[in-house]
Amino acid sequence: MNRRDLFKTSLAASALALAGRRAEASPTPAAAPEFPKAPGLTKSVAEFIVNTKYEDIPADVVDLGKKSILDGFGLALARTARIAWIWMLLPTCGAGKVGEGC
C-alpha cells in the first residue's frame, strides 16, 4: 500500500463515520456510530512507518517537523514559566487572598 492508497482508505473511513451521523436532534440518545471497518489499516500504517527512511522524507517536511517540535518545547516552557510566576505571587498575596488586590 502506498501513501495515496493509505490516504484514500483513511479518508473513506472518515467519510463513512460522518455519513452515519444525523443532523437532527432526537429525544432519545442515539447509539454510537459503528467504527468504520478498515481491515489491515493498522498493519499498513505500521509497514509504511517502518519502511520509510529519513532520506525519503522531503526537506520541507523535515523542516516543518523541526519547527513543530521547537514550538512544542516553547509552549511547554511558557507554561512552566507561568506556573512559576503563580507560585511566586501566592506568598506575597497571602493564603486565601488571591484575587483580592494582588
Side-chain angles (χ1 to χ4, degrees):
M1 177 179 276
N2 61 27
R3 292 181 211 176
R4 286 192 178 134
D5 292 339
L6 176 65
F7 179 72
K8 288 178 187 176
T9 304
S10 61
L11 185 61
S14 300
L16 286 173
L18 290 175
R21 296 184 182 172
R22 292 186 178 168
E24 61 205 39
S26 62
T28 58
E34 185 179 333
F35 195 76
K37 304 277 191 249
L41 182 61
T42 303
K43 182 180 177 187
S44 299
V45 171
E47 288 174 352
F48 174 75
I49 291 170
V50 168
N51 295 327
T52 301
K53 298 190 177 21
Y54 185 79
E55 296 81 27
D56 297 337
I57 303 171
D60 57 335
V61 174
V62 172
D63 290 340
L64 182 62
K66 289 177 181 179
K67 288 177 186 177
S68 297
I69 291 171
L70 275 174
D71 187 43
F73 285 144
L75 290 171
L77 184 62
R79 177 68 178 157
T80 303
R82 181 172 183 217
I83 291 172
W85 273 103
I86 290 171
W87 282 106
M88 288 184 346
L89 289 176
L90 282 177
T92 61
C93 292
K97 296 182 180 177
V98 175
E100 295 178 13
C102 293

